[in-house]
Amino acid sequence: MATIYICGDEKSLKESNGLVDAEKVKARLKSMRCSVVTPSEMAFSMFSWSDSLQNRIELLKKSQAVYVLPNWKESIMSRIELTVAMDLKLETIFHPMSHKEIKQIITALDN
């Protein structure tokens, strides 16, 4: 089972043609038998900024791919997460991507 890390601020998700529903993204990934890591749902808000970053990096190290929400540029934390993911050579999925393309990536991760 592939572990996919969600990168981006779910609170300010907007696209030119409407809102991105992060819950639907997570549900779609789960329906593809992926384990989904969503840092925004974790208790990182109680941590210092540097502790939060360190914990996110540890989660990235345990992931096989990162799903990048469209607003990643608006958050310094998301930009750092993406940089770390690239350094770790994680497969990167930028929203939007078709179901077929995501499935191909996930299938390759399972091999």
Side-chain angles (χ1 to χ4, degrees):
M1 176 184 301
T3 300
I4 312 288
Y5 184 98
I6 303 289
C7 175
D9 184 7
E10 295 179 40
K11 296 174 187 157
S12 62
L13 284 175
K14 292 184 180 178
E15 281 188 310
S16 59
N17 56 345
L19 294 175
V20 174
D21 188 341
E23 292 303 316
K24 285 184 181 179
V25 169
K26 289 184 271 187
R28 183 166 72 162
L29 292 170
K30 287 178 182 179
S31 75
M32 295 178 177
R33 299 184 319 136
C34 293
S35 173
V36 179
V37 175
T38 311
S40 64
E41 294 177 354
M42 299 180 178
F44 294 146
S45 62
M46 297 185 296
F47 294 0
S48 69
W49 196 87
S50 59
D51 287 342
S52 176
L53 176 60
Q54 188 60 43
N55 281 285
R56 289 167 185 255
I57 290 171
E58 291 305 315
L59 290 171
L60 280 163
K61 288 179 179 178
K62 296 175 185 174
S63 301
Q64 286 77 46
V66 60
Y67 189 101
V68 184
L69 298 172
N71 62 354
W72 66 272
K73 292 179 187 176
E74 298 169 17
S75 162
I76 187 71
M77 187 67 79
S78 296
R79 290 184 296 200
I80 293 169
E81 289 170 333
L82 184 54
T83 301
V84 170
M86 292 167 62
D87 187 56
L88 294 171
K89 297 178 177 36
L90 297 181
E91 192 68 47
T92 305
I93 305 165
F94 284 93
H95 183 84
M97 189 176 279
S98 74
H99 185 83
K100 181 180 178 181
E101 291 170 312
I102 295 171
K103 190 138 182 91
Q104 287 173 337
I105 290 170
I106 292 169
T107 300
L109 292 173
D110 288 336
N111 294 329

